[in-house]
Amino acid sequence: MPAQIGVTGLAVMGANLARNFARNGYTVALHNRSVEKTDALLAAHGGEGDFVRTETLAELVDALEVPRRVLIMVKAGTPVDSVIEQLVPLLEEGDIVIDAGNSHYEDTRRREAALAEKGLHFVGIGVSGGEEGALLGPSIMPGGSRESYDALGPLLEKISAKVDGEPCCAWIGTDGAGHFVKMVHNGIEYADMQVIGEAYDLLRSGAGIGPAEQAGIFEEWNKGELASFLIEITAEVLAHVDAKTGAPFVDVIVDSAGQKGTGRWTVVSALELGSPVSAIAESVFARGLSSQRDQRSRAQGALAGGEAEVQLPVEFVEDVRQALYASKLVSYAQGLDMLTSAAAEYGWDLKLDEIASLWRGGCIIRAELLKEITGAYAAGERPANLLLAPAFRDAIAAALPAWRRVVSTAVQLGIPVPVFSASLAYYDGLRRDRLPAALTQGLRDLFGAHTYGRVDAEGTFHTLWSGDKSEVAAVDTH
Ligand code: 6PG
């Protein structure tokens, strides 16, 4: 029987996706550059379903039903181009090439356009959920043509995570839309983890609560509005004790956070779109600062702290919880707002309710909160910003006193809370009647004749600063 899907690249993610397809009743053709990986997979898991062993890409293509679906799961970047180059001559019009790696959406746009010229579909799919998700049900964000989704979507929906019986997979939009949305998911993932880190630091350095006790606190938090995968695993990591030293595990880990690039890509893209994702950006920068270990060790003894004596409020732990929730909401609001800007820029019809819904299960940022976010964007009147949706507007209003107390306490104590504070600044900036951007415009006009708009008239103006300071109508030059 011909296979319904072929998978090339059988490292853990590719192998687990292949097994997931097979466990769901599909016949899966397997290929890997070195055949040992294919054989190892078959030896360990061959009984889980119907697999077809192949040794070359030509054999893989031959094993597939038409239209052929070939899923590539190799390292993002040139390895993807190299596999595509070898595959294309073997395929026929209407076949579908799928890239399930964390590829940059611009690469996906380029590859989609190039393959479309040859009559082939190229589908970049964002897959979230790590190794376990790939095997048991990830959250899947497919881009590419609508037509390709008709042939591919049912398979992806079948292997995806389910929440309330609904698949955590839906067609996102053309060309690179799927990889774009996955990238923003990762940006939110970075901010989510950073706010958790800031809460941990405040409780530890501010209130002197050790990791074991904090594990219990996070476990409790996971029962309420913060309920999410990342809060759940925070409790697990904090409870873990290092076998070698008997110390809390978190204390034996080098405090320098790695990054593979998707968080950085989110921020670069946001800068290009003019999208203010300050919380996400601060979380990427926080990883950057953590990695400058040499400068940090020199600064430790050399730079003054000037911390103030602060009496922590009795409700400090609850304050931190509320600040964490409010800051987390801001990072979701920023990420979703960035999607709105990208939709306009790239001509994608991104449905924020569907995106929030498919993030409810399988992915790293899965959280109870996403159910309400889905509801907010599914409502008749969609909020211009998530924070304006009635439920979230009220939740933030309730958390505000605690949020402000936590940020000012952190500042007094010298505990860095870049995302707690950037989120609060974004919130205050968003709601402010007049921003100092008016002064910025005045300065730009003075030194560069960049012009400005007036609050009381249409058009663009310039003041003759080096003349009699009279105002003239101007052509907008920015
Ligand atoms: C997911 C994750 C995953 C990502 C890792 C590592 O959704 O399953 O986002 O795709 O690769 O989380 O990312 P960093 O190394 O950049 O932290």
Side-chain angles (χ1 to χ4, degrees):
M1 187 174 124
Q4 284 118 329
I5 188 149
V7 177
T8 178
L10 300 175
V12 184
M13 286 297 285
N16 283 1
L17 281 175
R19 289 172 61 197
N20 190 350
F21 281 116
R23 286 163 158 216
N24 276 288
Y26 297 110
T27 302
V28 185
L30 300 173
H31 172 263
N32 194 69
R33 205 166 41 159
S34 62
V35 78
E36 288 75 27
K37 275 219 170 88
T38 314
D39 288 334
L41 170 57
L42 286 169
H45 307 288
E48 288 179 0
D50 294 330
F51 294 105
V52 180
R53 176 185 182 279
T54 73
E55 292 195 1
T56 63
L57 282 174
E59 277 180 35
L60 178 79
V61 167
D62 275 350
L64 298 172
E65 69 176 31
V66 177
R68 298 173 185 84
R69 306 176 191 92
V70 185
L71 185 144
I72 305 172
M73 192 74 214
V74 298
K75 208 168 161 348
T78 42
V80 178
D81 287 310
S82 143
V83 176
I84 292 173
E85 204 180 306
Q86 297 166 58
L87 260 180
V88 165
L90 307 169
L91 297 173
E92 282 175 343
E93 229 178 278
D95 287 348
I96 305 168
V97 178
I98 306 139
D99 172 17
N102 264 335
S103 290
H104 193 284
Y105 70 98
E106 288 288 13
D107 284 337
T108 305
R109 284 163 65 79
R110 168 177 61 77
R111 291 168 183 148
E112 200 269 343
L115 266 65
E117 272 182 25
K118 298 180 180 355
L120 299 172
H121 296 288
F122 183 77
V123 180
I125 66 171
V127 179
S128 178
E131 295 171 11
E132 198 179 286
L135 181 65
L136 303 176
S139 173
I140 308 181
M141 293 147 258
S145 67
R146 177 72 233 187
E147 192 191 339
S148 66
Y149 193 76
D150 292 339
L152 179 65
L155 283 80
L156 298 179
E157 289 181 15
K158 188 91 186 273
I159 67 155
S160 73
K162 310 284 179 306
V163 175
D164 300 335
E166 286 171 38
C168 293
C169 171
W171 181 63
I172 300 289
T174 52
D175 57 73
H179 274 141
F180 190 94
V181 168
K182 172 61 175 35
M183 176 187 80
V184 173
H185 162 285
N186 281 29
I188 296 173
E189 173 185 307
Y190 273 51
D192 241 355
M193 282 195 272
Q194 177 62 24
V195 286
I196 288 173
E198 291 175 18
Y200 155 75
D201 198 12
L202 282 161
L203 295 184
R204 183 112 193 237
S205 316
I209 304 173
E213 195 181 335
Q214 283 204 39
I217 292 174
F218 276 93
E219 218 173 283
E220 235 4 81
W221 288 358
N222 198 40
K223 293 178 185 154
E225 61 191 358
L226 278 173
S228 60
F229 172 66
L230 285 169
I231 295 282
E232 179 192 324
I233 63 169
T234 298
E236 191 177 337
V237 171
L238 289 176
H240 189 54
V241 172
D242 178 49
K244 199 164 144 201
T245 59
F249 175 62
V250 70
D251 287 349
V252 301
I253 304 177
V254 174
D255 59 344
S256 163
Q259 47 179 318
K260 297 206 193 72
T262 45
R264 185 175 64 241
W265 293 349
T266 309
V267 178
V268 170
S269 161
L271 290 171
E272 281 163 2
L273 291 164
S275 180
V277 296
S278 50
I280 296 173
E282 284 295 348
S283 66
V284 179
F285 294 145
R287 290 200 192 186
L289 181 63
S290 79
S291 302
Q292 295 189 320
R293 298 189 68 220
D294 180 46
Q295 283 188 53
R296 287 174 49 214
S297 74
R298 284 165 204 268
Q300 267 159 42
L303 300 184
E307 295 91 346
E309 287 283 321
V310 185
Q311 183 72 34
L312 291 182
V314 275
E315 69 277 24
F316 188 63
V317 174
E318 172 57 14
D319 275 4
V320 171
R321 186 193 70 78
Q322 293 191 24
L324 171 51
Y325 182 66
S327 306
K328 183 181 167 82
L329 274 182
V330 167
S331 62
Y332 280 74
Q334 293 184 348
L336 292 165
D337 184 48
M338 177 174 172
L339 292 184
T340 306
S341 304
E345 175 72 20
Y346 297 110
W348 297 323
D349 179 20
L350 298 183
K351 301 202 165 48
L352 298 187
D353 54 341
E354 284 182 12
I355 292 168
S357 175
L358 67 84
W359 284 347
R360 284 182 308 152
C363 66
I364 304 295
I365 65 167
R366 60 187 183 262
E368 279 299 317
L369 161 78
L370 281 156
K371 194 172 181 179
E372 262 176 291
I373 298 182
T374 304
Y377 286 107
E381 202 175 318
R382 290 173 190 190
N385 183 298
L386 179 68
L387 304 180
L388 291 169
F392 296 119
R393 191 189 56 205
D394 297 348
I396 294 245
L400 258 181
W403 198 7
R404 292 198 191 285
R405 272 196 300 273
V406 167
V407 170
S408 52
T409 302
V411 170
Q412 294 290 323
L413 292 174
I415 299 172
V417 286
V419 178
F420 275 19
S421 55
S423 306
L424 184 53
Y426 171 84
Y427 177 81
D428 281 331
L430 191 63
R431 54 183 278 279
R432 201 157 174 85
D433 174 31
R434 293 277 295 159
L435 287 172
L439 177 57
T440 305
Q441 286 295 80
L443 299 176
R444 292 176 69 241
D445 190 58
L446 187 148
F447 69 66
H450 292 299
T451 76
Y452 52 89
R454 291 188 59 96
V455 295
D456 55 1
E458 286 296 310
T460 313
F461 301 90
H462 168 55
T463 289
L464 302 171
W465 294 100
S466 39
D468 64 358
K469 294 197 170 49
S470 61
E471 184 176 77
V472 294
V475 182
D476 186 359
T477 57
H478 287 294

